[in-house]
Each structure stands twice: as C-alpha cells, then as structure tokens.
Amino acid sequence: MAFVRRHRGILPLALLLPGLAWLIIFFALPLYYQGKISLETGSIFNGFHFNWHFRTYTDAWSAYHTQFLRSFWFAGLSTLLSLLIGYPLAYAIAFRGGKWRNALLLAVILPFFVTYLVRTLAWETILDDSSPLVSFLQTIHVISPHGRVLATTGSVVAGITYNFLPFMILPLYASLERIDDRLLEAGADLYGNRRSVFRKVTLPLSMPGVVAGVLLTFIPAAGDFVNATLLGSPNQTMIGNVIQSRYLELNDYPTAAALSFTLMAIILVMVAIWAKVAGTEALMGTEAKT
C-alpha cells in the first residue's frame, strides 16, 4: 500500500494492464499472424513461406468479389429489417411497457439462452419443404404449390435478421429509455402533435441507439456464414462461407487470411463513413445528454 501511495500515477496504468494484455494476446497477436499468413505462398504439403505476396489480395478479390457484394447486400437488408422491426418494439417497451417492461426485455434476450447454431437449425426445420408453415403458405397462395421458402435469399435474410435482432433492439431501448419525459411533455405543450413530437424530439434523441444498433447488427451479419449454410443454397453463399471453406476444407490459409483482412478493411471504411455521416456525437451517445 505504501508503494501505491508513493506512486499514485502508476495505479491507472496498472488497472489498464489486464485489458491491454487481453487485447494484445487475443487481438493484436492473431491479427499479426493472420497478416503474415496472408502474404505467404505455398501449400499445406510443401509448407508456406513468407515472401510479401500481395497478389493474393487482388486474386482473392477478383475471384470472390460477388460473395463480398452479396454479403454486404444481405447484411444491409437484415440491418434495415431489424431497424424497422426493432424500433417500434423498443419504443413500445420503453414508453408503453409499464409493469411488463422487464418481462418484455426478457423476451427479447430469451433467444440468447439457446446457442446460435441451434436457433438457426430450428429455423431450418420451420422453413423445410414439409413443414406446416410452408404448407400453409402454399395453401393461401403466398408461394406456388411447389414453391420453396428454404434455400432462398429470403430465408437467409430472415435468418440473419432473427439472429441479430436483439443487437438492434437493446441499444435502441437503452437510448429511448434515457429520454426525459419532460422533453416530450414540453413538445406537446408547444402544440406539437404526436407525429411532430416524435419526429423533432424522440427520433433525434434516439439516434445514438440507432447508430449503435446499425453497427452491432451490420458488422457481424456481414461476416456470418451459418445462416447461408443452413438456410441457403450455393446461390446464397456469403464471404464467410468462402473463408470457412478456404481455411478448413481447402487449407488455403493465405487466401482465407487475405479475404478476412479485406472484409475487415471494407467494414472499417464503412464504419468510418457511417460515423462521419451520423456524427461521432451520435456514435458515442453524447447527443442524448445535451
């Protein structure tokens, strides 16, 4: 204790050490080795050799740019659907939940008690050609008599939306729940109807939740591969499936590492643009405090 009193400046650095060690061991070091592998050439039989082979990146993009674009398309659609579904739900829980608020929040996070893979397998069963749901949709002519729901773009996007919906709802709820009711009452006192109060007061103050929810949903959705594997077909292959195949099936580690780095770089650029458009205040959640 005497040492700590004499060197009080060291205490904040000591508190940072566990977090820094965690980041270095589980993020920086794997990232370094992945970058090194992406610049190697060779095979699993003859060994891989580091020789600054940057062409792996251009070759990987040329071969799999379709899967990249498809991944971002699916992730964008899922994020939009999550926002359209999640915002009204978060709004209802925050302002109309009453005594049922905690129970409704529990219902939102309840799917997390089941593993991601099992949830997706359950949807595979629900959307199977012989399932009651598909038979019902065929009966009411939503799909053709021999039409399918499984192995379509719709099933993959629906699966991604379902699995990542809580990541959209929870930050939205946290942002809406922090809004001071007196601000809404002031808007109404100034002769604002419900629509104008929502548009000029509620929506701007909830933007930190929107920004956070979009990022938390879009980023993991772009790299997802489970939904495309279980709910899609080869026509719905995403870049995550290609990376998994290159790593685990073809043992083409340089290409898989280059694809991973390319995906990460594109997402970082998108996040930077999104932060620039939405504003860093919204990203950090400081707008609601003003």
Coordinates of all heavy atoms in Angstrom, one line a residue, residues 73-74 77-78 81 123 127 143 148-162 227-228 231-233 235-236:
W73 N -24.9 -7.0 -49.2 CA -26.3 -6.8 -49.6 C -27.2 -7.5 -48.5 O -28.2 -6.9 -48.0 CB -26.6 -7.4 -51.0 CG -28.0 -7.5 -51.4 CD1 -28.7 -8.6 -51.8 CD2 -28.9 -6.4 -51.6 NE1 -29.9 -8.3 -52.1 CE2 -30.1 -7.0 -52.0 CE3 -28.9 -5.0 -51.4 CZ2 -31.3 -6.2 -52.3 CZ3 -30.0 -4.3 -51.6 CH2 -31.2 -4.9 -52.1
F74 N -26.9 -8.7 -48.2 CA -27.7 -9.5 -47.2 C -27.6 -8.8 -45.8 O -28.6 -8.6 -45.1 CB -27.2 -10.9 -47.0 CG -27.5 -11.8 -48.2 CD1 -27.1 -13.1 -48.2 CD2 -28.3 -11.3 -49.3 CE1 -27.5 -14.0 -49.3 CE2 -28.6 -12.2 -50.3 CZ -28.2 -13.5 -50.3
L77 N -29.7 -5.6 -45.9 CA -31.2 -5.9 -45.8 C -31.6 -6.3 -44.4 O -32.6 -5.8 -43.9 CB -31.5 -7.0 -46.8 CG -31.8 -6.6 -48.3 CD1 -32.0 -7.9 -49.1 CD2 -32.9 -5.6 -48.4
S78 N -30.8 -7.1 -43.8 CA -31.1 -7.6 -42.5 C -31.0 -6.5 -41.5 O -31.9 -6.4 -40.6 CB -30.1 -8.7 -42.1 OG -30.1 -9.8 -43.0
L81 N -34.2 -4.4 -42.0 CA -35.4 -5.1 -41.4 C -35.3 -5.1 -39.9 O -36.4 -4.9 -39.2 CB -35.4 -6.5 -41.9 CG -35.8 -6.8 -43.4 CD1 -35.7 -8.2 -43.8 CD2 -37.3 -6.3 -43.5
W123 N -34.8 -22.9 -37.3 CA -35.5 -22.2 -38.4 C -35.4 -23.1 -39.7 O -36.2 -23.0 -40.6 CB -34.8 -20.9 -38.7 CG -35.4 -19.8 -37.9 CD1 -35.0 -19.2 -36.8 CD2 -36.7 -19.2 -38.2 NE1 -35.9 -18.3 -36.3 CE2 -37.0 -18.3 -37.2 CE3 -37.7 -19.4 -39.2 CZ2 -38.2 -17.5 -37.2 CZ3 -38.8 -18.7 -39.2 CH2 -39.1 -17.7 -38.2
L127 N -38.7 -23.9 -41.8 CA -38.8 -23.5 -43.2 C -38.7 -24.7 -44.2 O -38.7 -24.4 -45.4 CB -37.8 -22.4 -43.6 CG -37.9 -21.1 -42.7 CD1 -36.8 -20.2 -43.1 CD2 -39.2 -20.4 -42.9
I143 N -46.9 -18.6 -51.8 CA -45.9 -19.2 -52.7 C -46.6 -20.2 -53.5 O -47.7 -20.6 -53.2 CB -44.8 -19.9 -51.9 CG1 -45.3 -21.0 -50.9 CG2 -44.0 -18.8 -51.1 CD1 -44.2 -21.7 -50.2
R148 N -40.7 -23.0 -52.7 CA -39.9 -23.3 -51.5 C -39.7 -22.0 -50.8 O -39.7 -20.9 -51.3 CB -38.5 -23.9 -51.9 CG -38.6 -25.2 -52.7 CD -37.2 -25.8 -52.8 NE -36.8 -26.2 -51.5 CZ -35.5 -26.6 -51.2 NH1 -34.6 -26.5 -52.2 NH2 -35.2 -27.0 -50.0
V149 N -39.4 -22.1 -49.5 CA -39.0 -21.0 -48.7 C -37.5 -21.2 -48.3 O -36.7 -20.2 -48.3 CB -39.9 -20.9 -47.4 CG1 -39.4 -19.7 -46.5 CG2 -41.3 -20.6 -47.8
L150 N -37.2 -22.5 -47.9 CA -35.8 -22.8 -47.6 C -35.0 -22.7 -48.9 O -35.4 -22.9 -50.0 CB -35.8 -24.2 -47.0 CG -34.5 -24.6 -46.3 CD1 -34.3 -23.7 -45.0 CD2 -34.5 -26.0 -45.9
A151 N -33.7 -22.4 -48.6 CA -32.7 -22.3 -49.7 C -33.0 -21.1 -50.7 O -32.8 -21.2 -51.9 CB -32.6 -23.6 -50.5
T152 N -33.5 -20.1 -50.1 CA -33.8 -18.8 -50.9 C -33.1 -17.7 -50.2 O -32.7 -17.7 -49.0 CB -35.3 -18.6 -51.0 OG1 -35.8 -18.3 -49.7 CG2 -36.0 -19.7 -51.7
T153 N -33.0 -16.6 -51.0 CA -32.4 -15.4 -50.4 C -33.3 -14.9 -49.2 O -32.7 -14.4 -48.2 CB -32.4 -14.3 -51.4 OG1 -31.5 -14.7 -52.5 CG2 -31.8 -12.9 -50.8
G154 N -34.6 -15.0 -49.3 CA -35.5 -14.6 -48.2 C -35.2 -15.3 -46.9 O -35.2 -14.7 -45.9
S155 N -35.0 -16.6 -47.0 CA -34.8 -17.4 -45.8 C -33.5 -17.0 -45.2 O -33.4 -17.0 -43.9 CB -34.8 -18.9 -46.1 OG -33.7 -19.3 -47.0
V156 N -32.4 -16.8 -46.0 CA -31.1 -16.4 -45.4 C -31.2 -15.0 -44.7 O -30.8 -14.8 -43.6 CB -30.0 -16.4 -46.5 CG1 -28.7 -15.8 -45.9 CG2 -29.8 -17.7 -47.1
V157 N -31.9 -14.0 -45.4 CA -32.0 -12.7 -44.8 C -32.9 -12.8 -43.6 O -32.6 -12.1 -42.5 CB -32.6 -11.7 -45.9 CG1 -32.9 -10.4 -45.2 CG2 -31.6 -11.5 -47.0
A158 N -34.0 -13.6 -43.6 CA -34.8 -13.7 -42.4 C -34.1 -14.3 -41.3 O -34.2 -13.9 -40.1 CB -36.0 -14.5 -42.8
G159 N -33.2 -15.3 -41.6 CA -32.5 -16.0 -40.5 C -31.5 -15.0 -39.9 O -31.3 -14.9 -38.6
I160 N -30.8 -14.2 -40.7 CA -29.8 -13.2 -40.2 C -30.6 -12.2 -39.3 O -30.1 -11.8 -38.3 CB -29.0 -12.6 -41.3 CG1 -28.2 -13.6 -42.0 CG2 -28.1 -11.4 -40.8 CD1 -27.5 -13.1 -43.3
T161 N -31.7 -11.7 -39.9 CA -32.5 -10.7 -39.1 C -32.9 -11.2 -37.8 O -32.8 -10.6 -36.7 CB -33.7 -10.3 -39.9 OG1 -33.3 -9.9 -41.2 CG2 -34.5 -9.2 -39.2
Y162 N -33.4 -12.5 -37.7 CA -33.9 -13.1 -36.5 C -32.7 -13.2 -35.5 O -32.9 -12.8 -34.3 CB -34.5 -14.4 -36.8 CG -34.6 -15.3 -35.5 CD1 -35.6 -15.0 -34.6 CD2 -33.7 -16.3 -35.3 CE1 -35.7 -15.7 -33.4 CE2 -33.8 -17.1 -34.1 CZ -34.8 -16.8 -33.2 OH -34.9 -17.5 -32.0
N227 N -26.1 -18.9 -41.3 CA -27.4 -18.8 -42.0 C -27.3 -19.2 -43.4 O -28.3 -19.9 -43.9 CB -27.9 -17.4 -41.8 CG -28.3 -17.1 -40.4 OD1 -29.4 -17.5 -40.0 ND2 -27.5 -16.4 -39.6
A228 N -26.3 -18.7 -44.1 CA -26.2 -19.1 -45.6 C -26.0 -20.6 -45.7 O -26.4 -21.2 -46.7 CB -25.1 -18.3 -46.2
L231 N -29.6 -22.3 -44.2 CA -30.9 -21.8 -44.7 C -30.8 -21.4 -46.2 O -31.8 -21.1 -46.8 CB -31.4 -20.5 -44.0 CG -31.5 -20.7 -42.4 CD1 -32.0 -19.4 -41.8 CD2 -32.5 -21.8 -42.1
G232 N -29.6 -21.5 -46.8 CA -29.4 -21.0 -48.2 C -29.0 -22.2 -49.1 O -29.0 -23.4 -48.7
S233 N -28.6 -21.8 -50.2 CA -28.1 -22.8 -51.2 C -26.8 -22.2 -51.8 O -26.4 -21.1 -51.3 CB -29.1 -22.9 -52.4 OG -29.2 -21.7 -53.1
N235 N -26.3 -20.6 -54.3 CA -26.6 -19.2 -54.8 C -26.6 -18.1 -53.7 O -26.7 -17.0 -54.1 CB -28.0 -19.2 -55.5 CG -28.0 -20.1 -56.7 OD1 -27.0 -20.2 -57.4 ND2 -29.1 -20.7 -57.0
Q236 N -26.7 -18.5 -52.5 CA -26.7 -17.6 -51.4 C -25.3 -17.6 -50.6 O -25.3 -17.1 -49.5 CB -27.8 -17.8 -50.4 CG -29.2 -17.4 -50.9 CD -29.8 -18.4 -51.8 OE1 -29.7 -19.6 -51.6 NE2 -30.4 -17.9 -52.9

